[in-house]
Amino acid sequence: MTKSYLELKELQQRSQVFLQKLKVKANELEAEARSIAQSVYDEDTERYKRAFYNFELGIKGQFKSIREKANEIYKKQIMPRRGGWDEQGDYGNLYNEIVQLFQDFDNEIQNQMYSIFDSVQKISPEVYLKQALDEYEQVKDAFSCSQCGAPIHIDQLYFVSTYIPCPYCKTQNTFVPGTRMGEVEGLTREVGEERHKDLERIYDELKSEQTAESLWAYFKYRAFVWLEKSKILPVFKDENLKVFYREVHDEQRYSHNYDYEKHPEIYQKIVEKLGFEKDFSEKIQYATDAEKSALKSDWDLMLYLSLGYLEKIGDFGKYQTIYQQNHERLTNLKSKLNEL
């Protein structure tokens, strides 16, 4: 065996010892955090659980520090050893084993960190949303004119106190929707984010790469959150679409530092994926009639978002061909949707 191979073998053994020590620290941190996480959540009576989430951020910060220590050793001691291929691939095979060792460690620590807080039994925003809407139904059904006593029909959602005229005596009455209704719009976002934690995690795993794929992962995550918000409160569909555009714009410009004018390939990557065929077409194919109706409704909303996105940003001269092709594709998809 060559000297370089033996040195690499020694480095592998040192790496195993080093990572094992870090793993012991991670295990101790997990045990301590897991033992109190539920009680910290339960004892935080504030609606938005700020004390609990500060606790969560602190624990995740400590796990991040452990991962960074491993990554620092990897960059300084392992990466420089790349390329010393000899002995019929023995060196290369050993190097790959060490790389895999660090990759497995990082994945394990990350999963360990998430598992602590995934196991905490939290009050779902769905519960708060139902409470708010139930409260609203009770208030609106009991609303009557303060002057003549006639019942006044409330035919839309109000989130703040609103003057409503009596249809009989024309007296202006103040409709107070209830304290919880002011939180409904924010709750729809929380509900959407909770329902699509899987997409958020995919984005979290990719965002550091700052690639077209990571930008699409963010786009898809926020698109499906918008879908949930639009189903819960259809009246705010277009208003929330503006929020979606702003979110994607901010992610594109400030987190990814992408400018479509300078990087047309990024624009093309996203518009080619618009339409969400993979997310709906196969599901509809195997769905029952009841399921198919709901899926078609969801897909129709996502096509609405996709066409709106194209129309919002697709007016650059250099993108006209891409824009026209994909606008036609999405329009045809909407037409075919009615035939399913």
Side-chain angles (χ1 to χ4, degrees), residues 3 25 40 56 64 75-76 106 128 153 157 176 262 264 284-285 310 333:
K3 180 181 177 182
K25 289 184 179 179
V40 172
E56 181 178 350
K64 181 181 179 182
K75 287 181 177 179
K76 289 183 177 180
D106 189 70
Y128 291 119
H153 177 61
L157 288 168
V176 181
K262 297 177 181 177
I284 286 179
Q285 183 180 355
L310 267 182
L333 268 178

Side-chain angles (χ1 to χ4, degrees), residues 116-163:
I116 296 170
F117 299 100
D118 286 346
S119 65
V120 174
Q121 297 297 311
K122 300 178 182 179
I123 301 175
S124 169
E126 307 254 11
V127 173
Y128 291 119
L129 179 63
K130 185 178 185 305
Q131 290 174 349
L133 294 176
D134 287 347
E135 178 188 70
Y136 183 78
E137 288 296 320
Q138 293 171 7
V139 172
K140 81 176 184 65
D141 288 344
F143 189 57
S144 59
C145 179
S146 60
Q147 182 65 30
C148 69
I152 299 177
H153 177 61
I154 305 298
D155 59 357
Q156 70 179 78
L157 288 168
Y158 293 102
F159 301 96
V160 295
S161 297
T162 307
Y163 288 117

Side-chain angles (χ1 to χ4, degrees), residues 44-51 53 183 186-187 189-190:
D44 185 1
T45 57
E46 196 259 340
R47 160 70 180 87
Y48 294 101
K49 302 287 185 181
R50 290 183 177 89
Y53 288 113
E183 300 177 349
L187 282 170
R189 185 193 68 250
E190 292 180 35

Side-chain angles (χ1 to χ4, degrees), residues 252-267:
Q252 163 209 331
R253 285 293 177 93
Y254 305 121
S255 296
H256 281 73
N257 297 316
Y258 283 149
D259 184 340
Y260 287 152
E261 291 285 353
K262 297 177 181 177
H263 299 278
E265 73 280 2
I266 303 302
Y267 172 84

Side-chain angles (χ1 to χ4, degrees), residues 32-70:
E32 181 183 359
R34 196 179 287 277
S35 69
I36 62 173
Q38 188 66 56
S39 61
V40 172
Y41 181 87
D42 294 340
E43 291 167 10
D44 185 1
T45 57
E46 196 259 340
R47 160 70 180 87
Y48 294 101
K49 302 287 185 181
R50 290 183 177 89
F52 170 77
Y53 288 113
N54 285 335
F55 165 76
E56 181 178 350
L57 285 173
I59 296 298
K60 287 183 174 179
Q62 292 182 63
F63 273 103
K64 181 181 179 182
S65 176
I66 291 172
R67 293 173 67 194
E68 286 176 346
K69 287 178 181 177

Side-chain angles (χ1 to χ4, degrees), residues 22-31 33-34 59-60 63 66-67 105-119 201:
L22 289 183
K23 179 61 179 173
V24 169
K25 289 184 179 179
N27 288 343
E28 291 173 350
L29 177 59
E30 179 191 9
R34 196 179 287 277
I59 296 298
K60 287 183 174 179
F63 273 103
I66 291 172
R67 293 173 67 194
F105 174 83
D106 189 70
N107 290 334
E108 187 176 354
I109 298 301
Q110 182 169 258
N111 291 334
Q112 194 172 8
M113 174 187 70
Y114 279 122
S115 71
I116 296 170
F117 299 100
D118 286 346
S119 65
R201 183 161 297 183

Side-chain angles (χ1 to χ4, degrees), residues 182-315:
E183 300 177 349
V184 164
E185 194 171 3
L187 282 170
T188 63
R189 185 193 68 250
E190 292 180 35
V191 167
E193 290 174 348
E194 182 178 67
R195 291 178 182 176
H196 296 291
K197 282 282 188 184
D198 57 331
L199 296 180
E200 181 185 24
R201 183 161 297 183
I202 291 171
Y203 165 66
D204 283 341
E205 291 172 356
L206 294 174
K207 64 182 178 182
S208 62
E209 298 176 6
Q210 295 192 1
T211 62
E213 286 299 328
S214 62
L215 184 57
W216 169 253
Y218 181 80
F219 187 104
K220 183 175 179 180
Y221 166 51
R222 298 316 300 180
F224 273 85
V225 171
W226 173 86
L227 171 67
E228 302 298 343
K229 292 164 68 177
S230 299
K231 288 193 294 182
I232 298 168
L233 288 179
V235 68
F236 283 120
K237 178 179 70 175
D238 291 329
E239 189 66 29
N240 285 328
L241 199 56
K242 295 176 184 177
V243 175
F244 171 79
Y245 291 146
R246 186 170 66 249
E247 288 174 339
V248 173
H249 175 270
D250 290 348
E251 181 72 13
Q252 163 209 331
R253 285 293 177 93
Y254 305 121
S255 296
H256 281 73
N257 297 316
Y258 283 149
D259 184 340
Y260 287 152
E261 291 285 353
K262 297 177 181 177
H263 299 278
E265 73 280 2
I266 303 302
Y267 172 84
Q268 183 168 354
K269 189 78 172 181
I270 287 182
V271 298
E272 285 176 351
K273 292 193 174 192
L274 290 176
F276 300 91
E277 289 98 328
K278 290 183 178 180
D279 296 282
F280 291 103
S281 58
E282 186 172 337
K283 289 181 181 179
I284 286 179
Q285 183 180 355
Y286 297 103
T288 64
D289 289 342
E291 292 170 339
K292 185 177 291 186
S293 177
L295 283 168
K296 285 174 66 174
S297 176
D298 288 358
W299 196 359
D300 189 59
L301 276 170
M302 294 300 266
L303 285 168
Y304 176 85
L305 176 143
S306 298
L307 283 165
Y309 181 74
L310 267 182
E311 291 162 0
K312 179 77 173 178
I313 66 166
D315 57 350

